[in-house]
Amino acid sequence: MDWEWATGTGGALTRRQRGQLTGKLVAALPGIVAGQVRLALGRRGAGRVDFDALRLPDSRLARAAETEARERLTPHVLEHSYRSYFFGRALADLDGVKYDDELAYVACLLHDLNLEHPTPGRCFAVVGAERAVEFATGAGATPEQARTIGAAIAAHLTIGVADRPDDLGFVSAGAGADVLGLRLADLDPAWVADLLHRHPRHDFKRHMIAALRAEAAVVPNGRARWLLTTAQFAPLIRLAPFPE
């Protein structure tokens, strides 16, 4: 399920691909459960980003992405996009994984451009990725940079992509932490609290579940529907270790 698959199929899954995703989900469950147990026991890691020392990307592309996100996204999705970046960065740094910070930042800010605007028959992550590629190219990105951004956005719904938070998995890792609390046990709880203060959730759980259901209704063969039915994303989102 790479970039060619995404743009060629619009994100429609075959029966075989649904089976592959289910296999990846089953393989991931022990790690997910172990993380939830650590959270319940208060055994937290030290992963964090130093906000005081942090310098966000300030290129023409990064500034244009900030403007685009602020103009196009609702407050709850905008703040989710920022939190996804910071969660992704904390996890990537913790794992010692190399990534292009500028492209990761842009991809996170733009990864849910179409979350609340479903397109019949085409996955919102794919449509959003295509829009992001066009936008990034217009903002001065090279074709390779634009493709890296698009591939990360298109892939962020695919189970297993977040296992390595590099250029491809960065968005998925950050969004997974923010939506489901994945790997939250690896992060400093005081830092997480600070992040939520800086970028509030604005009843994010309810908005995310509603958006995924709307997407599943018009893209019946897409990943959102698989996530809601097979992976039971709605109850998992509600159970994520965040207040809202």
Side-chain angles (χ1 to χ4, degrees), residues 16 18 52 65 95 121 133 141 146 163 179 187 217 228 231:
R16 180 170 176 269
R18 287 194 292 271
D52 293 331
D95 291 352
V133 167
D163 292 347
V179 174
L187 304 177
L228 287 173

Side-chain angles (χ1 to χ4, degrees), residues 33-192:
V33 171
Q36 295 305 308
V37 170
R38 286 178 59 198
L39 282 175
L41 295 175
R43 297 175 180 171
R44 303 291 294 271
R48 65 195 311 276
V49 173
D50 187 343
F51 288 120
D52 293 331
L54 179 66
R55 294 295 178 268
L56 292 175
D58 192 36
S59 64
R60 174 192 170 195
L61 174 60
R63 292 193 301 271
E66 289 172 351
T67 300
E68 179 76 356
R70 289 170 183 157
E71 291 180 350
R72 301 289 182 181
L73 301 177
T74 56
H76 43 273
V77 177
L78 176 63
E79 298 296 1
H80 160 64
S81 300
Y82 276 107
R83 291 193 307 271
S84 294
Y85 167 73
F86 289 116
F87 277 132
R89 180 159 176 167
L91 292 171
D93 291 350
L94 186 66
D95 291 352
V97 174
K98 292 183 179 180
Y99 58 94
D100 186 309
D101 191 36
E102 177 192 26
L103 303 186
Y105 184 61
V106 172
C108 283
L109 288 179
L110 304 182
H111 82 279
D112 276 341
L113 283 175
N114 277 68
L115 173 62
E116 296 181 301
H117 308 284
T119 302
R122 287 183 69 80
C123 171
F124 80 88
V126 175
V127 177
E130 292 169 338
R131 284 184 60 193
V133 167
E134 182 178 359
F135 170 83
T137 302
T142 66
E144 182 179 0
Q145 289 174 322
R147 181 188 171 95
T148 297
I149 291 168
I153 293 173
H156 87 270
L157 291 183
T158 301
I159 299 292
V161 171
D163 292 347
R164 182 174 173 79
D166 54 10
D167 286 337
L168 181 65
F170 190 104
V171 176
S172 187
D178 193 54
V179 174
L180 301 173
L182 299 181
R183 293 197 63 187
L184 208 65
D186 293 335
L187 304 177
D188 179 347
W191 177 80
V192 173

Side-chain angles (χ1 to χ4, degrees), residues 3-15:
W3 178 241
E4 285 72 22
W5 165 81
T7 56
T9 67
L13 296 170
T14 64
R15 175 183 240 176

